[in-house]
Amino acid sequence: MSRILDQRILLLVISFSVSVQSTKVLSKWKKCGDPECEKAMIRVQATTDYLGPDCRYLNFKTGEEITVYSKLSRENENLWTGSKGKDFGYFPRDAVKVEEVLIGEEVEVLTKETDFLCLHEDKYNFE
């Protein structure tokens, strides 16, 4: 009985640590095409396959096109945010090459905690 309880506690601790990791703020600042970060900034093409470490990241294959909406700045400039089809997430900027610039000037804004939540598999419904 005690062994089953120990296993359940261990699973609970692992589940909690994964949850905390997937809401970690990756940067306090980001650059966008407008203050609301709704305008597409650039269009890029993947130069390598990429599989992210958790659900906040965008997975893609070499040659796929991605639309970039923001770039983390200051303490973590390597990650950009973009979409392909209905998938959206972070990816390393060195895994893509710029195909087309869509804006004239970047705007730096503060990130929000909601920028770093996992949004997949219809877990969150926004109205």
Side-chain angles (χ1 to χ4, degrees):
M1 184 70 156
S2 148
R3 187 173 183 198
I4 292 172
L5 182 59
D6 289 344
Q7 290 174 341
R8 287 184 179 172
I9 291 172
L10 179 61
L11 286 173
L12 182 63
V13 169
I14 290 170
S15 174
F16 177 74
S17 67
V18 167
S19 174
V20 168
Q21 178 183 6
S22 69
T23 58
K24 180 181 172 193
V25 172
L26 301 172
S27 178
K28 292 181 183 176
W29 294 92
K30 62 184 175 182
K31 293 179 181 177
C32 301
D34 63 285
E36 292 78 32
C37 297
E38 295 175 352
K39 191 182 287 186
M41 299 175 71
I42 55 177
R43 188 177 50 79
V44 299
Q45 184 177 42
T47 57
T48 186
D49 293 354
Y50 178 71
L51 180 62
D54 63 46
C55 61
R56 296 174 298 170
Y57 292 80
L58 181 68
N59 301 322
F60 49 80
K61 302 250 184 239
T62 303
E64 290 187 305
E65 288 190 358
I66 301 164
T67 303
V68 176
Y69 290 92
S70 69
K71 304 172 182 179
L72 295 185
S73 61
R74 298 190 187 189
E75 61 268 358
N76 193 356
E77 294 185 352
N78 184 45
L79 290 177
W80 289 358
T81 311
S83 67
K84 64 174 188 77
K86 64 178 183 167
D87 297 327
F88 186 86
Y90 293 93
F91 59 92
R93 73 180 184 183
D94 61 358
V96 299
K97 67 178 178 180
V98 175
E99 292 286 306
E100 182 181 9
V101 176
L102 304 171
I103 60 159
E105 190 174 322
E106 296 178 350
V107 177
E108 191 170 51
V109 297
L110 284 168
T111 61
K112 303 173 192 159
E113 283 187 35
T114 55
D115 289 338
F116 306 104
L117 294 176
C118 288
L119 302 173
H120 76 303
E121 297 177 3
D122 299 326
K123 284 187 177 180
Y124 302 96
N125 295 318
F126 296 115
E127 296 182 16

